[in-house]
Amino acid sequence: MPGVTDQIKEKIDIVDFISAYVPLRKTGRSYVGFCPFHPNTRTPAFHVFPDTQSFHCFGCKASGTIFDFLMRREGIEFREALERLAQRAGVQLHPRTEAEEQQDRLRTRLLEVNAAAAAFFRHMLVKSQRGEEARAYVAKRRIDDATGEAFLIGYAPDDWSLLLSYLTERRGFAPEEIEAAGLAIHHETRGYYDRFRHRLMFPIRSASGEIVAFGGRALGDVQPKYMNSPQTPLFDKGKVLYGLDLARDAIRQSDAAVIVEGYVDVIIAHQYGFRNVVAPLGTALTADHVALVKKLSHRVYLALDADTAGARATLKGLQALQSQPEGELTAVISPQGVIALQRRQDVEIRILALPEGKDPDEVIQENPEQWRAALAAARPAMDFYIETLTSDLDLSSGRGRAEAVERIAPLLTQIANPVEQAHYIQQLARLIDIEEAHILAALSNKARQEGQRRPSDQGRATKVLEQQPGDANQQPDETPPPPTQEEYLLSWIIRYPTARAAVEEKLHRDLATYPALQSLMSGTIDELFTSDECRALWRAWIAAPTGSDPQAWATTLYAPLDAVAQRVLELHAPQPQAYRIVNDALECATILQRDAAKRWLVQIARMQTAATGEAEQEILLDQLVQVKQFINMLSIPRRSSAYADLHVLHMP
């Protein structure tokens, strides 16, 4: 019986589905249109293939199935895409447990509380006499009525129980529900009272537009000046970006996201037509934030204050980042301007420097062209780092030069592209006037130090491999399907960072000498998976916090990913020596590379039958030749005792 994802794909035609988002025209056996994931208006590069129920953009290389399209287009996770498509297809997902049903009911109820509270706050700002001071503040910040309505800006009156009374007496919510939504506080003797009082209120919405929390700006001398809702079943401030629901399409269309500090910065930017602007909620930009943006664009602009206080905060933040487990850095920006790079997220980060003492909303309102110029002049993050982290050093002294290398080296080691890394090594060498060899030696020493501090991957591997597949949930007469190559590969690259690094390097190296294939294949692990579940599981692992234990992480997943993860992590492989781990992972990767290339052979042949122009035929012929060369280059992997069955089944 086909799995649930296969059932969904059988019932929903990908051409019909994508046509609701992208105008398509038929050409031969495929359909073409302008890609919705990157700016393109001249030549349609986006193809939908009904035969394989897949899509591919020859410009940005976005590709996949109907699940991948919906996740990328709407900026949602696999679970939500699965639920939406299952509902549309009329496919029944696994029976929900009572706990899941109860959680859904609570979530729905809290969303209703927040929606009612937002309406109350909006009424108090727009129509109540109590909102006069708040209206004056909004006018002072030059927020117009249409923008205020779009962002549902409101006012919480200076009263201890006015919202509580409205929600309980007029809307029928229980005080416990209002507290669970983060809008009320319970005191042992005084009972329940309103959390937000005499504050301008900014509803905080999820990427899909649901009101999950509130931010309040004090209208007097009350501290703190800004206050957010506490963490609730709906809200985790490290996973929400303010304004993303309204900015999502603009970020995708411009292929860029601009991250600023405050609510009003976002609001004014949108009011003036800069709709790709969002903000973290008074916290550092987390890996979850970056993951949200990365679904829409790989370019991120950070708007920082160009003052000495910002530079000092950066230095302080870097010290904290260097103490993180596994010796790896994460991409963060604090409200004070602390940032760093994270290789995992693969996001191009640029620093947008503002005039000293000016906030983004002030720059935009004074002269929108100045904001455009600042975006155009934004510098790569490493340029910012090298300048900022060396600004307080005496670079004419040996001590100052050594300190400069010590500060910059951890960042240089995080640059995955060797050409880019070499560029910044040269830049630093020129700045401090030393030979590049000395910097390379420092990087090598830093890498050895980090390796010594890391726990042994082999120890963790041995523990995992000792576990055998269980059958507690298996019916006595039910034979589980044999593991696939994709599941074997997942097993290695999730368990062992060394295997993952080796596979990533191999994929990049193998594709580098075939330029005609680079519009077809991205050279990433992601494209090796044909199973939607395996691909979603891999993406979930990439998004997991650095240093996560695979077994513990698997327990946080949802169906059907939890079952796939359990099956993958329980795969038994003998002789877990380090060289075998890497070699077997590379064998699996090679098999999957060959399979992916063979799929393109078929697809190119189909496209040739529909091609009319001589130039198009020439391009397709070049691609066809190189695909065949690529397959020939991927020689049959040597026999492995752990994977003997794979080679028998996949001989050419």
Side-chain angles (χ1 to χ4, degrees):
M1 179 179 179
V4 64
T5 56
D6 291 329
Q7 293 178 50
I8 291 171
K9 287 186 287 187
E10 287 174 1
K11 292 177 178 291
I12 301 178
D13 180 73
I14 194 169
V15 175
D16 292 340
F17 184 82
I18 292 181
S19 294
Y21 296 88
V22 180
L24 299 173
R25 63 178 175 82
K26 195 173 190 302
T27 171
R29 299 174 67 175
S30 66
Y31 292 77
V32 299
F34 292 107
C35 180
F37 305 127
H38 80 283
N40 61 125
T41 56
R42 293 185 179 181
T43 304
F46 183 80
H47 287 246
V48 181
F49 306 106
D51 291 343
T52 58
Q53 289 292 294
S54 63
F55 71 91
H56 181 81
C57 175
F58 290 87
C60 68
K61 295 194 283 293
S63 63
T65 67
I66 191 172
F67 290 90
D68 300 287
F69 182 88
L70 184 60
M71 288 187 289
R72 187 184 284 262
R73 178 64 179 78
E74 299 296 329
I76 59 178
E77 299 291 344
F78 178 75
R79 180 181 187 176
E80 186 173 349
L82 178 66
E83 291 174 347
R84 288 194 195 182
L85 293 173
Q87 183 177 17
R88 174 172 175 147
V91 172
Q92 181 67 43
L93 297 179
H94 69 94
R96 298 182 63 78
T97 65
E98 178 56 34
E100 289 174 328
E101 294 286 358
Q102 185 175 356
Q103 186 178 25
D104 282 351
R105 288 193 294 270
L106 174 62
R107 188 177 187 280
T108 299
R109 191 65 170 167
L110 297 187
L111 287 172
E112 292 172 353
V113 172
N114 284 343
F120 172 85
F121 292 141
R122 184 68 182 157
H123 174 84
M124 287 294 161
L125 174 67
V126 176
K127 297 184 178 180
S128 171
Q129 187 175 354
R130 293 172 179 258
E132 185 175 350
E133 184 179 351
R135 287 192 293 272
Y137 179 83
V138 171
K140 178 183 175 182
R141 298 303 297 265
R142 292 189 281 179
I143 301 172
D144 63 32
D145 293 341
T147 304
E149 181 64 32
F151 283 88
L152 292 179
I153 300 172
Y155 170 64
D158 190 9
D159 189 292
W160 287 87
S161 61
L162 197 62
L163 174 66
L164 184 68
S165 298
Y166 169 77
L167 292 176
T168 54
E169 297 172 9
R170 299 281 298 276
R171 300 301 300 270
F173 295 107
E176 294 81 5
E177 293 174 323
I178 302 169
E179 180 190 17
L183 290 165
I185 298 173
H186 182 258
H187 190 272
E188 291 183 358
T189 57
R190 289 185 292 171
Y192 293 93
Y193 60 91
D194 291 349
R195 178 182 296 275
F196 297 101
R197 302 178 302 280
H198 196 42
R199 290 178 179 270
L200 192 68
M201 299 300 293
F202 302 94
I204 298 168
R205 295 183 287 218
S206 67
S208 58
E210 297 170 324
I211 299 175
V212 295
F214 293 88
R217 201 271 186 198
L219 293 176
D221 296 329
V222 179
Q223 293 298 323
K225 180 182 289 187
Y226 283 94
M227 182 172 72
N228 292 330
S229 296
Q231 183 159 325
T232 70
L234 296 178
F235 177 60
D236 181 338
K237 65 181 179 181
K239 298 182 178 180
V240 180
L241 286 169
Y242 182 71
L244 184 59
D245 60 311
L246 299 179
R248 187 173 59 190
D249 289 342
I251 291 173
R252 186 184 293 109
Q253 291 166 8
S254 64
D255 192 25
V258 182
I259 298 178
V260 297
E261 178 183 343
Y263 299 110
V264 177
D265 293 329
V266 173
I267 291 167
I268 291 298
H270 281 244
Q271 182 172 303
Y272 278 76
F274 303 106
R275 302 185 184 277
N276 62 336
V277 179
V278 296
L281 299 169
T283 184
L285 189 70
T286 67
D288 289 316
H289 288 146
V290 176
L292 286 173
V293 173
K294 186 181 175 182
K295 293 172 185 174
L296 307 173
S297 169
H298 285 74
R299 287 193 297 159
V300 177
Y301 292 80
L302 305 180
L304 305 179
D305 293 333
D307 56 19
T308 55
R312 287 196 300 270
T314 300
L315 293 174
K316 181 179 178 181
L318 179 60
Q319 295 170 358
L321 290 166
Q322 288 173 325
S323 65
Q324 291 202 1
E326 299 285 326
E328 295 188 12
L329 304 179
T330 50
V332 300
I333 171 176
S334 75
Q336 295 77 29
V338 182
I339 68 165
L341 301 174
Q342 181 183 29
R343 180 171 60 86
R344 272 195 169 194
Q345 296 298 339
D346 191 26
V347 174
E348 177 191 351
I349 300 177
R350 288 184 171 266
I351 309 304
L352 191 155
L354 301 178
E356 188 168 349
K358 296 287 187 181
D359 291 329
D361 72 300
E362 296 173 306
V363 173
I364 292 170
Q365 293 193 83
E366 289 177 7
N367 185 359
E369 291 304 319
Q370 187 176 14
W371 177 256
R372 290 190 178 92
L375 284 170
R379 297 175 297 165
M382 275 303 303
D383 290 344
F384 169 82
Y385 261 117
I386 291 175
E387 177 183 328
T388 303
L389 298 178
T390 60
S391 62
D392 63 334
L393 300 176
D394 177 9
L395 298 181
S396 64
S397 69
R399 182 181 295 274
R401 291 168 176 167
E403 179 64 20
V405 174
E406 180 66 22
R407 292 177 180 181
I408 302 299
L411 297 169
L412 292 174
T413 61
Q414 298 302 308
I415 301 176
N417 187 308
V419 176
E420 185 180 359
Q421 186 186 61
H423 166 78
Y424 284 112
I425 289 173
Q426 293 172 357
Q427 183 173 322
L428 180 60
R430 287 194 299 267
L431 177 66
I432 63 180
D433 194 23
I434 67 170
E435 296 291 333
E436 294 175 27
H438 297 303
I439 299 176
L440 289 169
L443 294 182
S444 178
N445 183 54
K446 176 66 69 175
R448 285 196 301 271
Q449 292 174 355
E450 295 297 343
Q452 291 169 1
R453 284 201 295 267
R454 294 186 183 191
S456 167
D457 289 334
Q458 187 61 50
R460 292 198 299 267
T462 302
K463 181 177 180 181
V464 172
L465 292 169
E466 288 173 352
Q467 300 174 358
Q468 298 294 323
D471 58 358
N473 298 321
Q474 189 175 315
Q475 297 298 324
D477 58 344
E478 193 175 281
T479 302
T484 65
Q485 306 100 301
E486 296 181 12
E487 290 174 341
Y488 274 123
L489 180 63
L490 273 175
S491 178
W492 289 129
I493 61 180
I494 288 178
R495 287 163 163 175
Y496 309 115
T498 52
R500 171 184 172 180
V503 169
E504 288 177 329
E505 193 277 333
K506 168 183 166 54
L507 298 180
H508 176 76
R509 183 187 66 241
D510 287 349
L511 196 61
T513 55
Y514 296 91
L517 301 190
Q518 291 171 16
S519 64
L520 307 179
M521 305 175 74
S522 62
T524 61
I525 291 175
D526 195 81
E527 73 180 351
L528 298 181
F529 302 118
T530 58
S531 160
D532 290 288
E533 291 89 344
C534 285
R535 189 162 52 250
L537 184 64
W538 172 240
R539 291 172 180 171
W541 174 248
I542 291 176
T546 300
S548 296
D549 175 73
Q551 295 287 354
W553 163 77
T555 64
T556 67
L557 300 174
Y558 44 83
L561 296 191
D562 53 351
V564 180
Q566 181 181 357
R567 187 163 64 247
V568 163
L569 294 178
E570 288 179 344
L571 286 178
H572 177 66
Q575 303 176 12
Q577 292 88 356
Y579 76 90
R580 284 189 54 81
I581 291 169
V582 172
N583 287 347
D584 286 336
L586 293 176
E587 275 192 49
C588 280
T590 300
I591 292 171
L592 295 175
Q593 280 179 286
R594 287 164 59 86
D595 290 347
K598 288 176 182 178
R599 289 193 295 273
W600 273 115
L601 274 182
V602 176
Q603 204 64 265
I604 292 172
R606 289 170 176 164
M607 294 170 68
Q608 282 182 313
T609 62
T612 55
E614 185 177 335
E616 186 180 359
Q617 285 280 7
E618 186 175 338
I619 292 172
L620 290 170
L621 180 61
D622 192 21
Q623 289 174 338
L624 188 65
V625 170
Q626 290 204 10
V627 168
K628 291 180 178 178
Q629 293 173 345
F630 185 69
I631 292 172
N632 290 336
M633 181 272 297
L634 296 170
S635 57
I636 300 173
R638 66 177 179 80
R639 183 171 298 278
S640 163
S641 60
Y643 296 105
D645 59 317
L646 297 181
H647 311 311
V648 172
L649 293 174
H650 291 83
M651 292 286 284

